[in-house]
Amino acid sequence: MKSAVDRLTFASHGARIRISVYDGVIRRRLPDILRHILPPGAVVSEAIVSEDATPDVEYTIASAELRRADVCLSSGDLDEMLKALESDLHFQVARHARTALFVHAGVVAWKDRAVLIPGRSMSGKTSLVAALVRAGATYYSDEYAVIDRSGCIHPYAKPLSIRGANGKAAKVPVEELGGQAGAGTLRPAAVIFTSYRSGARWRPRTLTDGQTVLALIDNTVPAQEQPELTMETLTQVASSTPALKGIRGEADITARQILRRLDRYSSSRPNTL
């Protein structure tokens, strides 16, 4: 007889997470559901958690309610519960990752180097990432730059979350934009700090290493919980990667300007833009 609970345990970038499902409807749909909500690169295995390694985060789904510890994340509507679970899963992976630092940023690859676009939700980073993909860049992430201790960037290529005219976000596979997702680990080529303003022209200024580190810290998920890892990793990125900051106008125009600028300076003047 099937048990009253199904448990799924997975690891992503060293974060250990368990989902315990007591709801019969969700249990029957669990395999299909999880294919769509697990973070990129998640490894599913009960062996991840043992007596010596408890989960960093545990969720329970029961009686049409989603909880994390003593916090109710959502209740009632199944679709809304699953959206809440998916969103929180990404954040908890970013918060508890052990093998890399998660920075709120879009990432694309251009000629085998990574371009980071830090920014929180509603800053326009996904629009710019989508425009860069349409212009020929390879997609790496629209939410987090995953940076290891050596300063290399790893893919986190979930479907893009693109807002429509009604303000609601929809999942869009990168293939629908005519692009493709990257799989390898890359060194960064540039860090672009920008936000959208109607009618603006992109005239960025160059940041110093110190300014770059401070701006990246402001977008780093575990900055307060892991200050040493944060400083070590971000200093490595800033010391070897040029950074620009400036308000932009339309994403497609700015994307072409960014790629032309990379082409112009990357070979002849390393570490400058």
Side-chain angles (χ1 to χ4, degrees), residues 15 151 230 242 245:
T230 297
K245 183 175 183 179

Side-chain angles (χ1 to χ4, degrees), residues 133-156:
V133 169
R134 288 192 295 268
T138 301
Y139 176 61
Y140 263 60
S141 178
D142 79 328
E143 186 167 4
Y144 292 115
V146 181
I147 312 172
D148 65 26
R149 289 178 181 270
S150 68
C152 288
I153 313 300
H154 295 247
Y156 197 78

